[in-house]
Amino acid sequence: MPIIMDMMTMNLNQFKEFQKTANTVLVPIGMIEAHGPHCALGTDVLIPREFVRRLEERLGDKILMAPEVTYGHSWGLAAFAGTIDVSAEAFSNYVFDICKGFQRNGFKNIILFNGHGGNISSLDIVTEKLADLNVRTLTINWYLDYREDIKQITPDPGHAGEDETAMVLAINETYAFTEGVGSHEIPLPKRFRFKDGGKTLYPEAFSGNAEAATAEKGEQLYEMMMKLIVEDIQKLWELERKQGGRADGVALDF
């Protein structure tokens, strides 16, 4: 089993040794916001955290697992209690400065593992600025990138919908419930914007058929997406190899 490399618990000497052998860092990014009456406010942090736990077991000696960014941008759900919204400007500047810190520490490959849709536009700005600094990035928005595969297991995904609720249940069944939750559809395309529009777009702060979620479906989702995520990370390393970098992880076999 690979060495587990969690930056939060590493000491200075361990970090220096890691710098000698790897140049890829994964930064989990989430959000604290309303996820219906049934899911934990930290759903968008809990799910990336679980993916990191599983990735550590497979890639812990090739990727530095950085501490997570807990707060993000959620204009759409800011009207709901429990949502802690950070402005898009403040959020993108903060994440960019974090990534520049890793660049100064020799990390040329940065994976932004994002659990929250409201962060996407800000992270696009961050990754463009990092590319101009000659940093390769991979942004993983699991709920979009693998959506068609997700629907094979949970046909009615959404914000705190069948997919997210199932994945939270797979982490800990006390963090979510399904009985009596029901299902909500988004009544308008998201391109419509108006004050407190999130309360119209996301009745009760969720969408999708949350009541159909089970912990077993959540475990299936993790297992299915882990393979796809590892494949995407290997593509990042292959890109480094083609650009003349060292690409430490390309030859890994899973």
Side-chain angles (χ1 to χ4, degrees):
M1 179 179 293
I3 300 169
I4 305 302
M5 281 301 175
D6 175 8
M7 187 180 183
M8 183 71 78
T9 58
M10 295 170 71
N11 61 41
L12 177 59
N13 290 338
Q14 290 171 323
F15 183 78
K16 287 181 177 179
E17 285 301 310
F18 190 86
Q19 285 177 300
K20 296 176 184 177
T21 60
N23 67 349
T24 301
V25 59
L26 187 150
V27 183
I29 300 174
M31 179 61 193
I32 302 298
E33 67 173 352
H35 277 80
H38 61 288
C39 268
L41 296 173
T43 290
D44 292 345
V45 178
L46 293 168
I47 292 174
R49 184 183 289 173
E50 177 63 16
F51 274 117
V52 166
R53 184 187 70 79
R54 294 170 186 244
L55 285 166
E56 281 182 331
E57 295 176 355
R58 299 195 190 188
L59 301 174
D61 57 345
K62 298 295 183 183
I63 298 176
L64 179 70
M65 301 298 174
E68 62 215 15
V69 178
T70 306
Y71 299 99
H73 179 55
S74 184
W75 180 88
L77 291 168
F80 286 98
T83 299
I84 309 301
D85 178 38
V86 176
S87 73
E89 181 180 15
F91 172 72
S92 59
N93 287 339
Y94 181 58
V95 175
F96 180 58
D97 279 349
I98 290 171
C99 292
K100 283 198 298 182
F102 283 112
Q103 181 212 26
R104 288 192 295 270
N105 277 273
F107 292 90
K108 299 292 289 182
N109 301 317
I110 298 179
I111 302 166
L112 300 178
F113 198 108
N114 177 42
H116 172 59
N119 292 338
I120 292 175
S121 58
S122 296
L123 296 181
D124 285 342
I125 294 171
V126 170
T127 53
E128 288 175 3
K129 291 165 71 174
L130 289 171
D132 289 339
L133 297 178
N134 199 29
V135 175
R136 286 170 294 273
T137 62
L138 165 64
T139 304
I140 296 174
N141 301 301
W142 65 266
Y143 41 89
L144 291 181
D145 299 338
Y146 316 120
R147 188 172 180 83
E148 293 308 309
D149 299 279
I150 288 169
K151 289 170 74 173
Q152 298 302 309
I153 299 170
T154 49
D156 201 352
H159 175 72
E162 186 178 7
D163 54 340
E164 279 197 315
T165 304
M167 294 171 77
V168 171
L169 289 169
I171 297 169
N172 189 318
E173 294 197 41
T174 68
Y175 294 166
F177 66 88
T178 59
E179 185 175 355
V181 177
S183 176
H184 283 303
E185 300 300 324
I186 297 175
L188 284 172
K190 293 181 183 179
R191 64 180 183 272
F192 288 92
R193 292 264 173 107
F194 49 96
K195 184 170 177 58
D196 294 336
K199 286 196 171 183
T200 297
L201 296 176
Y202 296 95
E204 294 190 83
F206 81 97
S207 64
N209 187 9
E211 195 160 352
T214 66
E216 291 74 21
K217 290 179 182 178
E219 183 60 33
Q220 291 175 44
L221 288 171
Y222 283 115
E223 291 181 2
M224 176 273 292
M225 280 188 276
M226 277 295 297
K227 180 178 183 295
L228 299 176
I229 290 166
V230 170
E231 288 175 356
D232 280 343
I233 292 172
Q234 289 186 308
K235 289 175 185 175
L236 175 67
W237 285 330
E238 178 65 18
L239 174 63
E240 180 177 14
R241 186 191 67 78
K242 290 179 178 178
Q243 292 181 334
R246 65 190 189 187
D248 301 301
V250 169
L252 291 177
D253 180 20
F254 300 99

